[in-house]
Amino acid sequence: MSDTNTIGLTKADYAGDSKSTLCLGCGHDQITREIIQAVFLAGVDPYNVVKTSGIGCSSKTPAYFVGNGYGINSVHGRMPSIATGANMANKNLVTIGVSGDGDTASIGIGQFMHAVRRNTNMVYIVENNGVYGLTKGQFSATSEKGSRKKGGDTNDYSDIDLCKLAVELGCGFVARSFSGDQKQMTSLIRAAINHKGLAFIDCISPCVTFNNLPDSTKGFDWLREHNVKLHELGFVPEYDAEKVEQLPGGSVTVDMPDGSLIRLSALSDDPTVYDPTDIAAARKQLEKDRVDQAHVYTGLIYVDPASQALDDTMRLPDVPLCQLGEAELRPSREQFDGLLAGFR
Ligand code: SF4
């Protein structure tokens, strides 16, 4: 593989502007490497990246990738609002929001739900470890009932499945992955960047300090043994799509609106492949995941290739709002009077 991408940059050009201060071995650092690999392979201009986050260990990570992008570390659970504002001001930027299970599934759950409902054009990654690492490991709302963490405490409450919630809210791209699966995560992030609308990735990302016992359902050992991939997933960019032959049998190809492809192949002895464009199958799969506490199913759970992002719904002009002058943005006296008349 060439050392430079389609816009002539090296992977080093996508590095963050500070070194990680997370615990050695934290799953979040793996996701940082996967984001860097994905934006490098996608040929994204680093100066066109917006990175937003909330509060928590996960929310420190935007400092560790794409140092030349715009970074905004917001208040707790408010990352989606900041991302939506940035995206409305300049719809041509690539918006990557990073959050945690505490940040999204508790204080920020309303923000998450409305970002999904509006379909903000962004990649929304939850680095999900089932605990509040920054405040010493309390269980979060995504921790399954009966989970055990360091110190032996057991969680007495049922969990919120963010993928299930996203599908029910009409999210057009829903995936689950594991930080230790670099190939799957990188492909998912690349596909998410090309998706029009909110692309949600719930990535199980073990907390090695507070939630990594052998039987911790969000720990490394447990995930390596219990991860069931729904398919082998590959992403084919727009510029390569024409050269790709359709795979025979046991595969599904999802055509994206921009001409790129998502390729899904059946694994091992399974002759069929999970079809992520079938929302009924997605609901069934997520219910199976809930009942089958012994396994974590990862991959692209649902995608709507016809998704319409918020900027389209709002009929924003081709030129980003932040690049328009006062003369274009300010309504004329007649338009303003007409607007006021509408309220009388
Ligand atoms: Fe990662 Fe847990 Fe350490 Fe936070 S406390 S940096 S989540 S390992």
Side-chain angles (χ1 to χ4, degrees):
M1 193 179 77
S2 165
D3 288 344
T4 54
N5 62 10
T6 49
I7 59 168
L9 298 180
T10 66
K11 208 155 115 182
D13 294 314
Y14 294 87
D17 46 17
S18 64
K19 281 204 160 157
S20 173
T21 56
L22 302 181
C23 307
L24 199 63
C26 176
H28 301 352
D29 280 334
Q30 293 178 312
I31 299 175
T32 294
R33 288 191 282 275
E34 288 152 1
I35 293 173
I36 290 174
Q37 176 76 354
V39 288
F40 163 68
L41 290 175
V44 172
D45 180 347
Y47 291 96
N48 276 347
V49 172
V50 176
K51 328 169 275 181
T52 60
S53 63
I55 295 294
C57 295
S58 60
S59 294
K60 294 165 82 176
T61 61
Y64 312 143
F65 64 84
V66 194
N68 287 326
Y70 303 93
I72 308 168
N73 190 195
S74 78
V75 290
H76 209 356
R78 269 57 181 171
M79 178 276 281
S81 287
I82 303 293
T84 303
N87 195 248
M88 289 298 92
N90 189 346
K91 63 177 198 167
N92 293 343
L93 299 177
V94 174
T95 306
I96 302 174
V98 180
S99 180
D101 38 301
D103 196 58
T104 284
S106 288
I107 191 168
I109 198 152
Q111 292 256 324
F112 168 69
M113 291 169 75
H114 286 281
V116 170
R117 183 177 72 85
R118 294 188 185 110
N119 209 13
T120 302
N121 194 23
M122 67 180 292
V123 180
Y124 191 132
I125 299 173
V126 167
E127 299 184 342
N128 187 353
N129 54 24
V131 289
Y132 288 84
L134 201 63
T135 52
K136 304 279 182 242
Q138 301 85 352
F139 284 119
S140 80
T142 64
S143 193
E144 292 91 356
K145 192 173 182 177
S147 298
R148 208 167 61 87
K149 65 179 171 68
K150 191 177 167 186
D153 298 349
T154 304
N155 180 31
D156 294 330
Y157 303 101
S158 57
D159 63 302
I160 293 173
D161 183 335
L162 290 171
C163 287
K164 211 169 175 188
L165 187 58
V167 167
E168 287 313 314
L169 289 166
C171 187
F173 186 112
V174 181
R176 178 166 282 135
S177 191
F178 163 43
S179 62
D181 189 339
Q182 181 172 8
K183 187 167 176 279
Q184 186 186 61
M185 254 311 264
T186 305
S187 296
L188 282 171
I189 297 168
R190 290 182 71 191
I193 289 170
N194 282 59
H195 177 73
K196 254 312 219 175
L198 192 145
F200 177 63
I201 304 174
D202 177 29
C203 185
I204 313 297
S205 174
C207 170
V208 290
T209 301
F210 295 111
N211 198 14
N212 199 31
L213 294 175
D215 61 346
S216 298
T217 52
K218 290 187 171 50
F220 276 115
D221 289 347
W222 203 89
L223 275 152
R224 281 193 196 106
E225 282 168 30
H226 299 87
N227 179 7
V228 179
K229 289 195 209 183
L230 294 172
H231 33 234
E232 196 61 64
L233 187 144
F235 176 75
V236 183
E238 180 190 3
Y239 47 85
D240 279 346
E242 278 182 21
K243 296 181 234 155
V244 175
E245 287 173 26
Q246 298 293 315
L247 283 179
S251 72
V252 167
T253 302
V254 181
D255 295 291
M256 303 293 276
D258 64 343
S260 57
L261 304 172
I262 300 174
R263 307 293 301 270
L264 305 147
S265 317
L267 281 168
S268 61
D269 52 351
D270 178 2
T272 58
V273 69
Y274 175 81
D275 179 1
T277 62
D278 179 350
I279 196 163
R283 289 197 174 105
K284 205 166 150 193
Q285 178 56 46
L286 287 164
E287 184 57 18
K288 182 177 170 189
D289 208 349
R290 192 187 68 81
V291 174
D292 179 0
Q293 295 280 314
H295 298 102
V296 177
Y297 295 88
T298 61
L300 183 60
I301 295 166
Y302 178 65
V303 64
D304 174 7
S307 164
Q308 177 174 287
L310 178 60
D311 51 277
D312 281 339
T313 306
M314 292 188 70
R315 297 188 290 281
L316 293 188
D318 290 341
V319 179
L321 294 183
C322 67
Q323 291 168 13
L324 293 176
E326 204 176 312
E328 290 117 331
L329 289 171
R330 184 190 288 263
S332 65
R333 184 76 243 173
E334 295 71 37
Q335 286 169 324
F336 192 65
D337 287 345
L339 190 68
L340 286 183
F343 292 110
R344 288 195 187 105

